[in-house]
Amino acid sequence: GESVGLHLPTLSVQEGDNSIINCAYSNSASDYFIWYKQESGKGPQFIIDIRSNMDKRQGQRVTVLLNKTVKHLSLQIAATQPGDSAVYFCAETPPNQAGTALIFGKGTTLSVSS
Amino acid sequence: NAGVTQTPKFRVLKTGQSMTLLCAQDMNHEYMYWYRQDPGMGLRLIHYSVGEGTTAKGEVPDGYNVSRLKKQNFLLGLESAAPSQTSVYFCASRPWTGGLFNTEAFFGQGTRLTVV
């Protein structure tokens, strides 16, 4: 079946560096994408989303890039802080998806050392 | 405004026992979902509901049943628990926007279930 996946299971960075977390999706017709952050023992928390009619969206210290040509999504975190350490998931809503459910990738664990 | 609340937070079951996980949301959302999260597997959809009185199967529905008698509640039942159902369970809700656009889903804090 079609699914969203992440390129790397783990990413380690130094405090203050910029982090880039990547995600590949397989359904070219998906029209909505979200990045979630999950801290240990907690539920996923919304970070930023992007619709398929956009190729870039910025939030506070985060930027999401969407490349529909190669079906690639990335999350950029500027000036990474220890509090950014968590598992990051990308998720998509394929068209005609039952109940508009989000389909999740496997996640990337970001570790930030000071 | 509590958002999405899951009960209980932790539970240990013996093989063959039954239990019900409760999810409650106070945001008047139409859509509700149950996911399970296993190490290295991400979140997988078990069942979902698009409104009060309706439920449907997701990606991994076997061994689970659900009910949505009230709009704000979505119950997940395990009739005869198995060790393979040891997992962390997350409930989520999402508003209906008339089919015009999608929005984020809001998640509960999870229920950690161990079946021995």
Side-chain angles (χ1 to χ4, degrees), chain B residues 3 6 21 29 34 48 52-53 59 61 67 72 105 112 114 116:
Chain B
Q6 293 183 229
L21 281 66
H29 288 170
W34 276 107
Y48 65 94
E52 181 178 318
E59 180 187 0
S67 64
Q72 64 268 32
R112 185 172 296 275
T114 303
V116 298

Side-chain angles (χ1 to χ4, degrees), chain B residues 6 8 21 24 27-28 30 33 40-41 47 59 61-63 70 73-74 79 86 88 97 100:
Chain B
Q6 293 183 229
L21 281 66
M27 296 172 284
N28 201 37
E30 285 74 18
Y33 314 92
M41 296 295 291
H47 286 279
E59 180 187 0
D62 293 343
K70 294 183 179 180
N73 296 336
F74 195 28
E79 292 184 345
T86 294
V88 182
T97 57
L100 298 176

Side-chain angles (χ1 to χ4, degrees), chain A:
Chain A
E2 295 171 315
S3 63
V4 175
L6 289 169
H7 292 299
L8 292 174
T10 61
L11 177 64
S12 296
V13 301
Q14 292 284 326
E15 182 179 2
D17 287 350
N18 295 332
S19 302
I20 300 176
I21 301 172
N22 296 306
C23 173
Y25 64 95
S26 58
N27 191 329
S28 59
S30 287
D31 56 5
Y32 182 69
F33 306 87
I34 299 181
W35 281 100
Y36 280 95
K37 173 186 180 183
Q38 186 178 28
E39 297 174 313
S40 180
K42 296 184 178 181
Q45 294 178 291
F46 173 86
I47 301 174
I48 192 167
D49 60 1
I50 189 166
R51 305 189 191 284
S52 59
N53 61 351
M54 304 171 68
D55 53 19
K56 180 179 180 179
R57 191 165 189 218
Q58 289 184 293
Q60 187 176 14
R61 281 201 307 118
V62 295
T63 300
V64 55
L65 300 177
L66 176 63
N67 186 330
K68 294 183 288 293
T69 301
V70 295
K71 291 181 288 186
H72 184 267
L73 195 68
S74 69
L75 177 70
Q76 300 178 358
I77 305 173
T80 313
Q81 302 169 359
D84 295 326
S85 294
V87 181
Y88 290 81
F89 293 95
C90 64
E92 65 175 327
T93 299
N96 302 316
Q97 175 65 31
T100 74
L102 288 165
I103 305 301
F104 283 82
K106 291 183 172 56
T108 291
T109 300
L110 175 65
S111 298
V112 183
S113 54
S114 45

Side-chain angles (χ1 to χ4, degrees), chain B residues 58-110:
Chain B
E59 180 187 0
V60 289
D62 293 343
Y64 305 96
N65 57 75
V66 288
S67 64
R68 186 136 181 235
L69 300 179
K70 294 183 179 180
K71 186 178 183 179
Q72 64 268 32
N73 296 336
F74 195 28
L75 279 62
L76 178 71
L78 286 74
E79 292 184 345
S80 180
S84 60
Q85 293 178 304
T86 294
S87 187
V88 182
Y89 292 85
F90 287 99
C91 176
S93 71
R94 203 174 190 184
W96 179 67
T97 57
L100 298 176
F101 56 90
N102 287 307
T103 63
E104 66 179 284
F106 296 82
F107 283 82
Q109 291 299 295

